[in-house]
Amino acid sequence: MLTSDLLHDYQKKAVNFQCTRPQSMLWLDMGLGKTIITLTSLTHLLTTGFLRGVIIVAPIRVIRLVWRQEAAKWEHTRHLRFNMVTGTKDQRTRALLRPADVYLVNYENLGWLAETLQTYFVKKDRPMPFNGIIWDEISKMKNSATNRVKAFRKIADQFEWTTGLTGTPASNGYKDLHGQFLVVDRGERLGTSKTAFRTRFYKKVGPYKEVPYEDTEDTIKKLIGDITLEMSAEDYN
C-alpha cells in the first residue's frame, strides 16, 4: 500500500495548487501523476468539508480502468466510494442518485448528465450530490461550439471547485484553449464567445486560414497564468 509521504515534491506542489484555487488547470506530461495528485486534492477537500462530492468526466476507457484502480493503491485515497455513471439511462440515473464521494461519467453522456441534474436537482432547488468537477483529458472540450460544452454551461454555476487535466492542452495551437477554459472558469479569462476570442487573437489569411497575432501566445499565457500549472516530464523525471 502506497502512502502519501511517497508523493514527490512536484506532486505536492500540484496538490497545493489545486486545493488553493476554486478553478485550476494542470498541464502535466504523462507519467507525472495527474490522477493521484487530483485524488489527493479531492480527498483533502472532502475531509475539510469544502467538497461534498465530485464528478469526474473522462473518456470511457479512463473511467473504467484508471481512477478507482489508482485510488485503491494509496492508503490515503482507498476509502473513497466510487459510482460509475454508465450503462443504460436507468442505470446511469440510479448511479447518480446513490451516495458516493466520486461519480464517473464519460464525455458522450455529458448532455444527458446536464439535463438529468437540472431535472432532479437544480429545478427542484435540491443540492446536487457533488459540488466539484474534474475534467480528465479536458482537451476534449476544446471546441466551445459543441453541444457538450453548451449543455454543460447550463449547470456550470453549480460547481464550487473545477479542475482540468491534460498533457496536450493545445496540440493544434492556442485556438484549442477557448472551450477548455470556458468550462473551467465560465469565460472569465478568455471570454464566453468563440467568435470574439478568434477575432481578438487571430487574423484571417485568405478565406479559410487564420494565423495568430505575434503576441497571441504571450497574451493568452498571461490571461490564464493564475490558474494554470504546467510541468514537463523532462524537468521532473
Side-chain angles (χ1 to χ4, degrees):
M1 184 64 61
L2 300 167
T3 55
S4 57
D5 55 2
L6 293 173
L7 290 170
H8 299 288
D9 284 344
Y10 71 83
Q11 292 174 323
K12 289 174 186 169
K13 178 186 171 183
V15 168
N16 185 53
F17 191 86
Q18 277 182 325
C19 286
T20 52
R21 287 162 182 78
Q23 302 156 340
S24 61
M25 192 76 91
L26 296 192
W27 291 357
L28 268 59
D29 278 353
M30 232 174 106
L32 292 183
K34 287 188 285 289
T35 307
I36 188 53
I37 287 166
T38 307
L39 285 166
T40 303
S41 296
L42 75 89
T43 301
H44 172 71
L45 294 170
L46 285 165
T47 307
T48 60
F50 178 74
L51 289 179
R52 61 176 175 269
V54 294
I55 185 146
I56 298 174
V57 187
I60 190 77
R61 173 189 55 80
V62 175
I63 63 174
R64 285 198 177 128
L65 303 175
V66 175
W67 285 91
R68 284 180 308 175
Q69 291 82 340
E70 186 65 28
K73 290 180 200 167
W74 294 79
E75 203 177 295
H76 67 294
T77 58
R78 64 179 176 173
H79 67 282
L80 292 169
R81 298 167 302 156
F82 288 83
N83 279 359
M84 297 283 284
V85 187
T86 54
T88 65
K89 203 179 262 193
D90 276 354
Q91 287 169 326
R92 294 196 300 265
T93 305
R94 279 202 298 276
L96 205 53
L97 299 175
R98 217 170 39 241
D101 302 306
V102 183
Y103 298 77
L104 293 152
V105 72
N106 54 309
Y107 278 97
E108 290 74 15
N109 281 325
L110 206 45
W112 166 85
L113 177 74
E115 205 176 287
T116 308
L117 289 172
Q118 281 175 294
T119 305
Y120 284 90
F121 298 98
V122 183
K123 287 175 182 167
K124 292 181 176 172
D125 214 17
R126 289 166 59 198
M128 298 197 314
F130 34 74
N131 57 342
I133 184 164
I134 294 160
W135 299 98
D136 193 1
E137 296 189 26
I138 193 173
S139 51
K140 293 198 173 298
M141 298 298 271
K142 65 186 180 187
N143 185 353
S144 51
T146 56
N147 288 335
R148 58 172 68 157
V149 174
K150 288 175 183 168
F152 174 72
R153 288 187 67 198
K154 292 175 185 169
I155 54 163
D157 62 352
Q158 302 291 316
F159 294 94
E160 290 165 64
W161 184 76
T162 309
T163 192
L165 316 174
T166 182
T168 51
S171 49
N172 304 310
Y174 273 43
K175 204 179 286 187
D176 283 357
L177 297 182
H178 184 254
Q180 299 179 52
F181 278 85
L182 184 56
V183 298
V184 168
D185 74 359
R186 300 179 222 159
E188 192 184 321
R189 287 163 186 79
L190 301 180
T192 54
S193 159
K194 187 181 180 184
T195 309
F197 171 79
R198 286 167 78 158
T199 306
R200 179 178 177 187
F201 294 112
Y202 293 83
K203 58 184 172 192
K204 270 197 157 33
V205 183
Y208 304 112
K209 197 177 175 198
E210 289 177 330
V211 295
Y213 291 107
E214 264 180 38
D215 63 346
T216 286
E217 197 165 309
D218 285 343
T219 308
I220 290 177
K221 272 191 166 169
K222 278 191 191 110
L223 286 169
I224 62 175
D226 63 319
I227 64 164
T228 307
L229 181 66
E230 188 171 4
M231 291 181 174
S232 69
E234 56 198 42
D235 295 338
Y236 293 100
N237 274 348

